[in-house]
């Protein structure tokens, strides 16, 4: 059985870290089509937050993007700031760096300041700088409810640093990798590089005896699945926008009959008050047949 979704239940579930219960509520309920735009924005925000906590970053990014697109621009600044903060963190978890102009949106510059510094640390691939930045804003991030998600970004920082090292050096020792990434020792660097090679983050070979990493030549990006994934995201966004537009252009049933009555001056006449809509529509069709 499928029930209508009540937003008042999702907020305490997502805020009390009972993510699985919130996901079950989402999967076993449907959001009513007659809900207001403000309720839809809240639904998209809480759905995106729950999906981000469950590592479903693609769905979370889609819902949060729709939330910001549908949110009112002249009011609800606090809500838009909360949604934008969460969207920035989800983008970083997806391996993307948000545009710089996002952090300078009117009314959000101060609130998004810590997140801009975190994004800069992720882009540089400096793990030590990332940890120091997160530590300095730890209380603020906990108040925002994003500290748990940001703590997952350490892997993204390491991946970004490895990509930069691969572009800069064709061959580099594991000791230098550990120094540049802020890792404890060469053994930790070896494990990190091996995982990155297995996950396809970098194309390289590890020489375990000589303790160095040999990068391979750059491959054609169009021979990988990255263009396909980019096209898939764009097409999904266009289809969602199209479906929302079609849904917004729907008219209520029998709306054309009321328009015909108004144009013919038949609305409000006492003699028609006791007639059903079907009888009135039949009379209008007879009159149209007589005219033609």
């Amino acid at each position: 059985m499928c029930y209508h979704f009540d937003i008042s239940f999702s907020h305490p579930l997502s805020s009390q870290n009972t993510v699985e219960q919130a996901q079950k509520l989402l999967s076993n309920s449907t959001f009513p089509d007659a809900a207001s735009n403000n309720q839809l924005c809240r639904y998209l925000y809480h759905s995106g937050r729950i999906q981000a906590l469950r590592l479903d970053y693609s769905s979370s990014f889609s819902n949060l993007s729709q939330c910001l697109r549908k949110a009112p621009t002249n009011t609800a600044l606090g809500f838009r700031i909360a949604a934008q903060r969460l969207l920035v963190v989800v983008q970083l978890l997806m391996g993307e760096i948000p545009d710089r102009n996002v952090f300078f949106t009117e009314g959000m510059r101060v609130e998004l300041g810590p997140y801009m510094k975190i994004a800069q640390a992720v882009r540089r691939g400096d793990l030590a700088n990332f940890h120091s930045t997160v530590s300095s804003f730890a209380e603020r991030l906990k108040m925002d409810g994003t500290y748990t998600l940001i703590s997952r970004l350490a892997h993204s920082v390491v991946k970004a640093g490895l990509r930069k090292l691969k572009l800069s050096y064709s061959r580099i020792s594991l000791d230098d990798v550990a120094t540049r990434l802020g890792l404890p020792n060469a053994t930790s660097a070896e494990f990190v590089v091996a995982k990155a090679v297995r996950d396809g983050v970098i194309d390289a070979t590890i020489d375990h005896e000589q303790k160095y990493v040999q990068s391979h030549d750059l491959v054609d990006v169009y021979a990988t699945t990255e263009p396909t994934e980019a096209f898939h995201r764009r097409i999904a966004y266009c289809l969602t926008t199209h479906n929302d537009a079609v849904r917004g252009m729907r008219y209520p049933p029998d709306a054309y009959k009321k328009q015909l009555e108004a144009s013919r001056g038949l609305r409000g006449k006492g003699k028609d008050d006791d007639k059903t809509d079907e009888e009135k529509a039949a009379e209008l069709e007879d009159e149209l047949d007589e005219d033609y």
Side-chain angles (χ1 to χ4, degrees), residues 5-148:
F5 183 83
D6 189 356
I7 302 175
S8 60
F9 292 110
S10 67
H11 177 64
L13 286 176
S14 61
S15 61
Q16 295 174 5
N17 298 326
T18 53
V19 182
E20 293 302 326
Q21 289 86 337
Q23 179 59 29
K24 290 181 181 178
L25 175 62
L26 285 176
S27 60
N28 294 325
S29 60
T30 57
F31 190 78
D33 295 334
S36 64
N37 183 70
N38 293 341
Q39 290 177 329
L40 177 60
C41 291
R42 292 176 59 192
Y43 167 76
L44 292 173
Y45 170 77
H46 290 300
S47 299
R49 180 175 179 81
I50 292 169
Q51 289 161 347
L53 292 172
R54 298 187 72 252
L55 307 179
D56 189 2
Y57 301 130
S58 299
S59 300
S60 176
F61 177 80
S62 176
N63 286 333
L64 292 173
S65 299
Q66 292 184 53
C67 172
L68 284 174
R69 189 172 67 249
K70 293 178 179 294
T73 57
N74 54 348
T75 57
L77 179 61
F79 176 79
R80 287 188 285 116
I81 289 174
Q84 187 64 69
R85 283 192 302 235
L86 188 57
L87 181 61
V88 167
V89 177
V90 171
Q91 281 187 272
L92 292 174
L93 288 169
M94 293 175 64
E96 301 176 359
I97 303 298
D99 294 335
R100 186 177 177 85
N101 55 5
V102 170
F103 301 100
F104 295 96
T105 306
E106 183 179 358
M108 299 186 184
R109 183 169 184 174
V110 177
E111 297 294 332
L112 295 180
Y115 297 87
M116 183 179 69
K117 294 183 179 179
I118 291 174
Q120 291 173 347
V122 173
R123 182 176 58 85
R124 295 192 189 102
D126 190 344
L127 192 60
N129 186 20
F130 170 77
H131 285 306
S132 63
T133 304
V134 173
S135 300
S136 60
F137 296 107
E139 295 299 326
R140 173 70 176 277
L141 299 177
K142 291 178 181 178
M143 291 178 59
D144 295 342
T146 57
Y147 184 80
T148 302

